[in-house]
Amino acid sequence: MQNGNTAYQEYERRNGFSPEERYQTVSPEATDISVSATTRRNLLFRRFMELLQTHAIERKPMTFYADKLCLSPDHFARTIKKSSGRTVTQWIHDSVLSLAKTYMRDPRLNIQQIADYLRFSDQSAFGKFFRKHTGQSPSAYRKSLKTS
């Protein structure tokens, strides 16, 4: 047994390993894979955000973005969730809500015009969507803007 350890130690010494490095050595391939996978996820997430800014007003479904990025919907959804901690649908809804809240600040636009601009089928559908995600109706949200 002693001879085996000595031979191993001799191999390490000849190849430039110190005793401290023995247990710290990690396969470079494993490190590169995790870094590049993270980089790919981040790149994919940035590309999704760019597409979302361009198409948010159209309220495109998740499959639209997956197709644009040449990915299967399942792989796309998993990748976005893994890189951001949020689902694709949550990102899409937040993008639409952000636009809606921006338009609500403009007193020249009524709620029907905002619903039309965001391509909801009618004002009621917009109101339900807005209430579900904010906890208040569009008109109550608008009133809260005036008081704050």
Side-chain angles (χ1 to χ4, degrees):
M1 197 64 114
Q2 187 66 20
N3 290 343
N5 285 342
T6 306
Y8 187 73
Q9 290 168 347
E10 179 61 25
Y11 172 81
E12 288 179 334
R13 187 187 58 72
R14 277 186 289 152
N15 290 294
F17 289 101
S18 69
E20 296 79 29
E21 292 174 311
R22 182 181 302 148
Y23 300 107
Q24 295 174 357
T25 304
V26 177
S27 164
E29 295 82 14
T31 304
D32 291 343
I33 288 171
S34 65
V35 169
S36 63
T38 301
T39 304
R40 282 192 303 270
R41 272 196 307 273
N42 291 342
L43 177 62
L44 177 66
F45 181 73
R46 280 195 312 265
R47 290 176 57 204
F48 169 56
M49 289 292 108
E50 290 168 1
L51 284 170
L52 190 55
Q53 285 180 339
T54 305
H55 298 283
I57 200 162
E58 300 165 26
R59 294 184 21 247
K60 298 286 189 183
M62 184 216 20
T63 53
F64 168 82
Y65 297 102
D67 288 345
K68 285 283 190 188
L69 296 169
C70 301
L71 297 169
S72 73
D74 289 340
H75 179 68
F76 173 61
R78 279 191 312 271
T79 303
I80 296 301
K81 174 78 173 180
K82 195 169 192 172
S83 71
S84 70
R86 302 179 72 213
T87 66
V88 172
T89 303
Q90 287 172 321
W91 283 109
I92 293 169
H93 288 168
D94 284 354
S95 179
V96 172
L97 282 171
S98 178
L99 286 171
K101 288 176 179 180
T102 299
Y103 297 145
M104 294 278 209
R105 289 186 179 99
D106 185 346
R108 296 171 296 173
L109 297 174
N110 64 40
I111 294 171
Q112 178 63 53
Q113 290 171 313
I114 295 169
D116 290 343
Y117 191 65
L118 293 174
R119 300 183 182 177
F120 281 88
S121 57
D122 56 30
Q123 184 175 340
S124 176
F126 171 65
K128 287 176 186 174
F129 173 85
F130 195 87
R131 181 185 300 270
K132 179 180 178 182
H133 295 284
T134 64
Q136 59 188 154
S137 69
S139 56
Y141 176 81
R142 189 171 253 177
K143 285 178 188 173
S144 73
L145 291 175
K146 291 178 184 176
T147 60
S148 51

